[in-house]
Amino acid sequence: MAPITEYMDYRKYIRDFYAERKALSGFSWGAFAKLAGFSSPVFLQYVCEGKKNLSETSALQVANVMNLSNVESEFFKRLVSFGSVNDIDSKKKTLEAFLRFSEESHVQNAIADEYGLFKSWKNLLVRELAQAMPNASAKRISLASRRRISTGEVKKILDFLERAGYLEKENGNFRQTERSLKMGKAMSPVKRMIAHDLQIQMAELAVDALKNESAEGRDITGLTIGITRENYGRIVRELAECRRRIVAIATEAVRTDEVYRLNMQFFPLTNIGAKRGSD
């Protein structure tokens, strides 16, 4: 199985460890729990199903059974800590502390690269502009952005995008290693937090565009509609198909003239269903 540093969800790591041990030796959840010092034979199974959580102490007990090194155990413990907080502000603070630990311990991991890319709209813009501009320099990219990004910021972002493998250089020009990026449907707690934060940033950019961009250069419209619960699923699927078609149109051309952002926001304005359920 992959090392712990490639995981973004501690529950998945436990599940993979268990599956590997079981395939080799007939390992059971009861044996696993006993080795980790838990009285309930199904406790770790419930943890993996999201029904129970590990504490800081029990996380180290499980790490010992999985034969993790000191640094790996600390990594695992911080994954557990991140998975135990619920509100977005606490998650951000926990994640930032986690990333500081990774940097100080010189531990390269999947979370740092994923968060590094999606933590700011600036990273996504620079990634698009770098490929769009022949012989792109940090200064030219900075000047091409309608929202303020300093040359120093662009340099740091380009360095990260190259190191993390999102961009590579060919004959002095930047090239994207993947034309389009997706966060995926089955998102880990880390990805959900990153997606939430990024959506807020993009919504703020949309408000800024409404205030400062001419109507000729943007297309921002909306609907207020009454729907059934069944139709909600149909509309969500229709929006997903629309996004897929738009990505296909955008990626069929090799050239980029400008970089645009498309937000699709579909959210409730009422709680009629909740009131009915309490009657």
Side-chain angles (χ1 to χ4, degrees), residues 2-26:
I4 181 67
T5 52
E6 292 185 21
Y7 283 76
M8 301 175 75
D9 184 345
Y10 81 90
R11 299 179 201 273
K12 185 176 186 327
Y13 185 79
I14 295 174
R15 285 197 301 271
D16 288 354
F17 171 84
Y18 172 76
E20 185 177 80
R21 283 288 301 271
K22 185 174 177 63
L24 293 173
S25 62

Side-chain angles (χ1 to χ4, degrees), residues 146-158:
R146 289 179 182 236
R147 275 81 186 173
R148 176 65 180 158
I149 310 179
S150 70
T151 303
E153 282 182 291
V154 175
K155 283 180 180 176
K156 288 181 181 177
I157 293 169
L158 287 173

Side-chain angles (χ1 to χ4, degrees), residues 77-94:
K77 186 181 78 174
R78 287 171 183 268
L79 273 186
V80 170
S81 177
F82 179 83
S84 301
V85 292
N86 295 315
D87 67 280
I88 193 68
D89 289 334
S90 297
K91 277 193 173 296
K92 279 191 74 173
K93 287 177 183 176
T94 307

Side-chain angles (χ1 to χ4, degrees), residues 124-231:
L124 302 177
L125 175 60
V126 170
R127 178 180 173 273
E128 294 298 326
L129 281 174
Q131 174 160 299
M133 303 170 70
N135 299 307
S137 67
K139 185 175 182 180
R140 287 181 63 213
I141 291 174
S142 172
L143 292 172
S145 173
R146 289 179 182 236
R147 275 81 186 173
R148 176 65 180 158
I149 310 179
S150 70
T151 303
E153 282 182 291
V154 175
K155 283 180 180 176
K156 288 181 181 177
I157 293 169
L158 287 173
D159 287 345
F160 163 73
L161 292 173
E162 278 197 273
R163 179 187 59 75
Y166 294 110
L167 286 177
E168 60 185 17
K169 266 195 171 180
E170 275 186 0
N171 302 319
N173 294 322
F174 286 105
R175 187 184 74 82
Q176 294 172 355
T177 53
E178 292 182 67
R179 188 69 181 93
S180 63
L181 295 171
K182 293 180 181 178
M183 295 195 79
K185 291 181 181 177
M187 292 199 290
S188 68
V190 177
K191 282 190 176 181
R192 279 194 294 272
M193 193 280 293
I194 297 168
H196 180 279
D197 200 39
L198 185 62
Q199 292 288 9
I200 291 173
Q201 294 177 46
M202 294 303 188
E204 289 169 349
L205 289 178
V207 172
D208 184 60
L210 268 171
K211 292 177 180 177
N212 301 307
E213 298 291 344
S214 66
E216 292 76 20
R218 59 170 169 77
D219 185 72
I220 298 178
T221 57
L223 295 170
T224 302
I225 50 176
I227 62 167
T228 65
R229 291 179 182 175
E230 292 76 14
N231 282 345

